[in-house]
Amino acid sequence: MANWSDPRATAAPQPGTIGRESVAFDAGLRSYMLSVYNYMASGVLLTGIVAMLFANSEVGRNILVNGGPLRWVIMLAPLGFVMVLSFGINRLSTGAAQMLFWAFATVMGLSMASIFLVFTGQSIATTFFATAAAFVSLSLWGYTTKKDLSAFGTFLIMGVVGLIVASLINLFVQSSALQMAISFIGVLLFAGLTAYDTQKIKSMYAYVAGTDMMGKTVIMGALSLYLDFVNMFTFLLNFMGSRE
């Protein structure tokens, strides 16, 4: 049992010890965030490659153009992967979570292949690089800002729910004006979520560092940023994209 009257037990930590702990924490945080960004960027790259290959294949074109049940399976499959990862992450091993993330990125590529049939390749590339530049800037700001962004989380999530409802309504209304409004609001919401999620992922490191959960947290952080990037890109494409 500790002797609480012993001054050595209550003395403040030495400055040198604090400095070493701080350096170790910062190095660990940088490694953690780098892992998140590596997974996220690799997932986006995999999605893009799969989408381009699928859109340029005869089988892919037939499915995307002619429709049918298989097209709906491809379109809805990513949602299933997101739900499994989001609600089952505590029961999954780190390896299983990684495999599900790569499978999700692959299926997402199949579901996004139709953009290559609708928009020109040049406009897709231009929009992608514009989204990448915006994402890097917003994520860097979310990482470095001292402002607590947690207060915006509920507002942004409620905004996304409203966006989904409006998109479902527009499936029946087919209003071009409403679609443009949805795209504009979507870009703003996912821009905000990029900064918010980055700060949230950064703050999680203090709780998971050195635990078995760190690998899973990296995957979930990469998934969050991946969804922010892809959604911002999709909505921005409605403004910047030139149709075939």
mmCIF file with all atom_site columns, all heavy atoms in Angstrom, residues 83-98:
data_model
loop_
_atom_site.group_PDB
_atom_site.id
_atom_site.type_symbol
_atom_site.label_atom_id
_atom_site.label_alt_id
_atom_site.label_comp_id
_atom_site.label_asym_id
_atom_site.label_entity_id
_atom_site.label_seq_id
_atom_site.pdbx_PDB_ins_code
_atom_site.Cartn_x
_atom_site.Cartn_y
_atom_site.Cartn_z
_atom_site.occupancy
_atom_site.B_iso_or_equiv
_atom_site.pdbx_formal_charge
_atom_site.auth_seq_id
_atom_site.auth_comp_id
_atom_site.auth_asym_id
_atom_site.auth_atom_id
_atom_site.pdbx_PDB_model_num
ATOM 1   N N   . MET A 1 83 ? -23.436 -0.633  -41.642 1.00 0.00 ? 83 MET A N   1
ATOM 2   C CA  . MET A 1 83 ? -24.206 -1.004  -40.449 1.00 0.00 ? 83 MET A CA  1
ATOM 3   C C   . MET A 1 83 ? -23.497 -2.098  -39.656 1.00 0.00 ? 83 MET A C   1
ATOM 4   O O   . MET A 1 83 ? -23.453 -2.061  -38.425 1.00 0.00 ? 83 MET A O   1
ATOM 5   C CB  . MET A 1 83 ? -25.604 -1.449  -40.855 1.00 0.00 ? 83 MET A CB  1
ATOM 6   C CG  . MET A 1 83 ? -26.461 -0.326  -41.431 1.00 0.00 ? 83 MET A CG  1
ATOM 7   S SD  . MET A 1 83 ? -28.141 -0.844  -41.868 1.00 0.00 ? 83 MET A SD  1
ATOM 8   C CE  . MET A 1 83 ? -28.816 -1.188  -40.249 1.00 0.00 ? 83 MET A CE  1
ATOM 9   N N   . VAL A 1 84 ? -22.934 -3.082  -40.363 1.00 0.00 ? 84 VAL A N   1
ATOM 10  C CA  . VAL A 1 84 ? -22.218 -4.157  -39.672 1.00 0.00 ? 84 VAL A CA  1
ATOM 11  C C   . VAL A 1 84 ? -21.008 -3.597  -38.928 1.00 0.00 ? 84 VAL A C   1
ATOM 12  O O   . VAL A 1 84 ? -20.760 -3.939  -37.761 1.00 0.00 ? 84 VAL A O   1
ATOM 13  C CB  . VAL A 1 84 ? -21.775 -5.252  -40.671 1.00 0.00 ? 84 VAL A CB  1
ATOM 14  C CG1 . VAL A 1 84 ? -20.828 -6.238  -39.993 1.00 0.00 ? 84 VAL A CG1 1
ATOM 15  C CG2 . VAL A 1 84 ? -22.984 -5.986  -41.227 1.00 0.00 ? 84 VAL A CG2 1
ATOM 16  N N   . LEU A 1 85 ? -20.250 -2.725  -39.584 1.00 0.00 ? 85 LEU A N   1
ATOM 17  C CA  . LEU A 1 85 ? -19.076 -2.140  -38.938 1.00 0.00 ? 85 LEU A CA  1
ATOM 18  C C   . LEU A 1 85 ? -19.471 -1.226  -37.776 1.00 0.00 ? 85 LEU A C   1
ATOM 19  O O   . LEU A 1 85 ? -18.839 -1.253  -36.715 1.00 0.00 ? 85 LEU A O   1
ATOM 20  C CB  . LEU A 1 85 ? -18.256 -1.351  -39.962 1.00 0.00 ? 85 LEU A CB  1
ATOM 21  C CG  . LEU A 1 85 ? -17.354 -2.171  -40.879 1.00 0.00 ? 85 LEU A CG  1
ATOM 22  C CD1 . LEU A 1 85 ? -16.839 -1.325  -42.037 1.00 0.00 ? 85 LEU A CD1 1
ATOM 23  C CD2 . LEU A 1 85 ? -16.180 -2.756  -40.094 1.00 0.00 ? 85 LEU A CD2 1
ATOM 24  N N   . SER A 1 86 ? -20.498 -0.432  -37.973 1.00 0.00 ? 86 SER A N   1
ATOM 25  C CA  . SER A 1 86 ? -20.887 0.546   -36.956 1.00 0.00 ? 86 SER A CA  1
ATOM 26  C C   . SER A 1 86 ? -21.458 -0.114  -35.707 1.00 0.00 ? 86 SER A C   1
ATOM 27  O O   . SER A 1 86 ? -21.124 0.274   -34.578 1.00 0.00 ? 86 SER A O   1
ATOM 28  C CB  . SER A 1 86 ? -21.912 1.524   -37.534 1.00 0.00 ? 86 SER A CB  1
ATOM 29  O OG  . SER A 1 86 ? -21.362 2.243   -38.618 1.00 0.00 ? 86 SER A OG  1
ATOM 30  N N   . PHE A 1 87 ? -22.337 -1.099  -35.905 1.00 0.00 ? 87 PHE A N   1
ATOM 31  C CA  . PHE A 1 87 ? -23.016 -1.703  -34.763 1.00 0.00 ? 87 PHE A CA  1
ATOM 32  C C   . PHE A 1 87 ? -22.331 -2.968  -34.245 1.00 0.00 ? 87 PHE A C   1
ATOM 33  O O   . PHE A 1 87 ? -22.617 -3.413  -33.135 1.00 0.00 ? 87 PHE A O   1
ATOM 34  C CB  . PHE A 1 87 ? -24.470 -2.017  -35.127 1.00 0.00 ? 87 PHE A CB  1
ATOM 35  C CG  . PHE A 1 87 ? -25.290 -0.801  -35.426 1.00 0.00 ? 87 PHE A CG  1
ATOM 36  C CD1 . PHE A 1 87 ? -25.658 -0.493  -36.737 1.00 0.00 ? 87 PHE A CD1 1
ATOM 37  C CD2 . PHE A 1 87 ? -25.686 0.052   -34.416 1.00 0.00 ? 87 PHE A CD2 1
ATOM 38  C CE1 . PHE A 1 87 ? -26.408 0.637   -37.016 1.00 0.00 ? 87 PHE A CE1 1
ATOM 39  C CE2 . PHE A 1 87 ? -26.435 1.186   -34.683 1.00 0.00 ? 87 PHE A CE2 1
ATOM 40  C CZ  . PHE A 1 87 ? -26.797 1.485   -35.990 1.00 0.00 ? 87 PHE A CZ  1
ATOM 41  N N   . GLY A 1 88 ? -21.435 -3.537  -35.029 1.00 0.00 ? 88 GLY A N   1
ATOM 42  C CA  . GLY A 1 88 ? -20.805 -4.778  -34.595 1.00 0.00 ? 88 GLY A CA  1
ATOM 43  C C   . GLY A 1 88 ? -19.323 -4.673  -34.330 1.00 0.00 ? 88 GLY A C   1
ATOM 44  O O   . GLY A 1 88 ? -18.660 -5.695  -34.132 1.00 0.00 ? 88 GLY A O   1
ATOM 45  N N   . ILE A 1 89 ? -18.781 -3.455  -34.311 1.00 0.00 ? 89 ILE A N   1
ATOM 46  C CA  . ILE A 1 89 ? -17.332 -3.282  -34.199 1.00 0.00 ? 89 ILE A CA  1
ATOM 47  C C   . ILE A 1 89 ? -16.786 -3.875  -32.906 1.00 0.00 ? 89 ILE A C   1
ATOM 48  O O   . ILE A 1 89 ? -15.676 -4.416  -32.877 1.00 0.00 ? 89 ILE A O   1
ATOM 49  C CB  . ILE A 1 89 ? -16.944 -1.780  -34.306 1.00 0.00 ? 89 ILE A CB  1
ATOM 50  C CG1 . ILE A 1 89 ? -15.421 -1.624  -34.405 1.00 0.00 ? 89 ILE A CG1 1
ATOM 51  C CG2 . ILE A 1 89 ? -17.530 -0.991  -33.152 1.00 0.00 ? 89 ILE A CG2 1
ATOM 52  C CD1 . ILE A 1 89 ? -14.822 -2.227  -35.634 1.00 0.00 ? 89 ILE A CD1 1
ATOM 53  N N   . ASN A 1 90 ? -17.557 -3.830  -31.813 1.00 0.00 ? 90 ASN A N   1
ATOM 54  C CA  . ASN A 1 90 ? -17.069 -4.353  -30.538 1.00 0.00 ? 90 ASN A CA  1
ATOM 55  C C   . ASN A 1 90 ? -16.957 -5.878  -30.544 1.00 0.00 ? 90 ASN A C   1
ATOM 56  O O   . ASN A 1 90 ? -16.182 -6.449  -29.761 1.00 0.00 ? 90 ASN A O   1
ATOM 57  C CB  . ASN A 1 90 ? -17.988 -3.909  -29.393 1.00 0.00 ? 90 ASN A CB  1
ATOM 58  C CG  . ASN A 1 90 ? -17.888 -2.411  -29.124 1.00 0.00 ? 90 ASN A CG  1
ATOM 59  O OD1 . ASN A 1 90 ? -16.834 -1.823  -29.289 1.00 0.00 ? 90 ASN A OD1 1
ATOM 60  N ND2 . ASN A 1 90 ? -18.996 -1.808  -28.731 1.00 0.00 ? 90 ASN A ND2 1
ATOM 61  N N   . ARG A 1 91 ? -17.735 -6.518  -31.390 1.00 0.00 ? 91 ARG A N   1
ATOM 62  C CA  . ARG A 1 91 ? -17.706 -7.987  -31.453 1.00 0.00 ? 91 ARG A CA  1
ATOM 63  C C   . ARG A 1 91 ? -16.748 -8.497  -32.525 1.00 0.00 ? 91 ARG A C   1
ATOM 64  O O   . ARG A 1 91 ? -16.485 -9.699  -32.594 1.00 0.00 ? 91 ARG A O   1
ATOM 65  C CB  . ARG A 1 91 ? -19.123 -8.521  -31.721 1.00 0.00 ? 91 ARG A CB  1
ATOM 66  C CG  . ARG A 1 91 ? -20.108 -8.235  -30.603 1.00 0.00 ? 91 ARG A CG  1
ATOM 67  C CD  . ARG A 1 91 ? -21.422 -8.941  -30.829 1.00 0.00 ? 91 ARG A CD  1
ATOM 68  N NE  . ARG A 1 91 ? -22.108 -8.440  -32.010 1.00 0.00 ? 91 ARG A NE  1
ATOM 69  C CZ  . ARG A 1 91 ? -22.921 -7.385  -32.002 1.00 0.00 ? 91 ARG A CZ  1
ATOM 70  N NH1 . ARG A 1 91 ? -23.124 -6.723  -30.877 1.00 0.00 ? 91 ARG A NH1 1
ATOM 71  N NH2 . ARG A 1 91 ? -23.508 -6.982  -33.112 1.00 0.00 ? 91 ARG A NH2 1
ATOM 72  N N   . LEU A 1 92 ? -16.258 -7.601  -33.365 1.00 0.00 ? 92 LEU A N   1
ATOM 73  C CA  . LEU A 1 92 ? -15.354 -8.001  -34.439 1.00 0.00 ? 92 LEU A CA  1
ATOM 74  C C   . LEU A 1 92 ? -13.904 -7.940  -33.974 1.00 0.00 ? 92 LEU A C   1
ATOM 75  O O   . LEU A 1 92 ? -13.539 -7.109  -33.140 1.00 0.00 ? 92 LEU A O   1
ATOM 76  C CB  . LEU A 1 92 ? -15.527 -7.062  -35.649 1.00 0.00 ? 92 LEU A CB  1
ATOM 77  C CG  . LEU A 1 92 ? -16.873 -7.092  -36.369 1.00 0.00 ? 92 LEU A CG  1
ATOM 78  C CD1 . LEU A 1 92 ? -16.949 -5.945  -37.371 1.00 0.00 ? 92 LEU A CD1 1
ATOM 79  C CD2 . LEU A 1 92 ? -17.076 -8.427  -37.078 1.00 0.00 ? 92 LEU A CD2 1
ATOM 80  N N   . SER A 1 93 ? -13.088 -8.811  -34.539 1.00 0.00 ? 93 SER A N   1
ATOM 81  C CA  . SER A 1 93 ? -11.649 -8.695  -34.322 1.00 0.00 ? 93 SER A CA  1
ATOM 82  C C   . SER A 1 93 ? -11.111 -7.579  -35.218 1.00 0.00 ? 93 SER A C   1
ATOM 83  O O   . SER A 1 93 ? -11.786 -7.152  -36.170 1.00 0.00 ? 93 SER A O   1
ATOM 84  C CB  . SER A 1 93 ? -10.952 -10.012 -34.655 1.00 0.00 ? 93 SER A CB  1
ATOM 85  O OG  . SER A 1 93 ? -11.054 -10.292 -36.045 1.00 0.00 ? 93 SER A OG  1
ATOM 86  N N   . THR A 1 94 ? -9.905  -7.113  -34.926 1.00 0.00 ? 94 THR A N   1
ATOM 87  C CA  . THR A 1 94 ? -9.306  -6.068  -35.758 1.00 0.00 ? 94 THR A CA  1
ATOM 88  C C   . THR A 1 94 ? -9.142  -6.553  -37.193 1.00 0.00 ? 94 THR A C   1
ATOM 89  O O   . THR A 1 94 ? -9.409  -5.813  -38.145 1.00 0.00 ? 94 THR A O   1
ATOM 90  C CB  . THR A 1 94 ? -7.944  -5.646  -35.188 1.00 0.00 ? 94 THR A CB  1
ATOM 91  O OG1 . THR A 1 94 ? -8.118  -5.155  -33.854 1.00 0.00 ? 94 THR A OG1 1
ATOM 92  C CG2 . THR A 1 94 ? -7.321  -4.554  -36.035 1.00 0.00 ? 94 THR A CG2 1
ATOM 93  N N   . GLY A 1 95 ? -8.724  -7.794  -37.359 1.00 0.00 ? 95 GLY A N   1
ATOM 94  C CA  . GLY A 1 95 ? -8.564  -8.356  -38.704 1.00 0.00 ? 95 GLY A CA  1
ATOM 95  C C   . GLY A 1 95 ? -9.867  -8.414  -39.472 1.00 0.00 ? 95 GLY A C   1
ATOM 96  O O   . GLY A 1 95 ? -9.919  -8.100  -40.666 1.00 0.00 ? 95 GLY A O   1
ATOM 97  N N   . ALA A 1 96 ? -10.942 -8.812  -38.779 1.00 0.00 ? 96 ALA A N   1
ATOM 98  C CA  . ALA A 1 96 ? -12.255 -8.879  -39.431 1.00 0.00 ? 96 ALA A CA  1
ATOM 99  C C   . ALA A 1 96 ? -12.738 -7.483  -39.821 1.00 0.00 ? 96 ALA A C   1
ATOM 100 O O   . ALA A 1 96 ? -13.320 -7.294  -40.900 1.00 0.00 ? 96 ALA A O   1
ATOM 101 C CB  . ALA A 1 96 ? -13.262 -9.546  -38.503 1.00 0.00 ? 96 ALA A CB  1
ATOM 102 N N   . ALA A 1 97 ? -12.491 -6.507  -38.954 1.00 0.00 ? 97 ALA A N   1
ATOM 103 C CA  . ALA A 1 97 ? -12.882 -5.126  -39.261 1.00 0.00 ? 97 ALA A CA  1
ATOM 104 C C   . ALA A 1 97 ? -12.133 -4.610  -40.484 1.00 0.00 ? 97 ALA A C   1
ATOM 105 O O   . ALA A 1 97 ? -12.698 -3.918  -41.337 1.00 0.00 ? 97 ALA A O   1
ATOM 106 C CB  . ALA A 1 97 ? -12.620 -4.225  -38.053 1.00 0.00 ? 97 ALA A CB  1
ATOM 107 N N   . GLN A 1 98 ? -10.859 -4.950  -40.581 1.00 0.00 ? 98 GLN A N   1
ATOM 108 C CA  . GLN A 1 98 ? -10.064 -4.538  -41.738 1.00 0.00 ? 98 GLN A CA  1
ATOM 109 C C   . GLN A 1 98 ? -10.602 -5.162  -43.025 1.00 0.00 ? 98 GLN A C   1
ATOM 110 O O   . GLN A 1 98 ? -10.746 -4.483  -44.043 1.00 0.00 ? 98 GLN A O   1
ATOM 111 C CB  . GLN A 1 98 ? -8.602  -4.933  -41.530 1.00 0.00 ? 98 GLN A CB  1
ATOM 112 C CG  . GLN A 1 98 ? -7.901  -4.141  -40.452 1.00 0.00 ? 98 GLN A CG  1
ATOM 113 C CD  . GLN A 1 98 ? -6.539  -4.712  -40.105 1.00 0.00 ? 98 GLN A CD  1
ATOM 114 O OE1 . GLN A 1 98 ? -6.222  -5.864  -40.434 1.00 0.00 ? 98 GLN A OE1 1
ATOM 115 N NE2 . GLN A 1 98 ? -5.721  -3.935  -39.423 1.00 0.00 ? 98 GLN A NE2 1
#
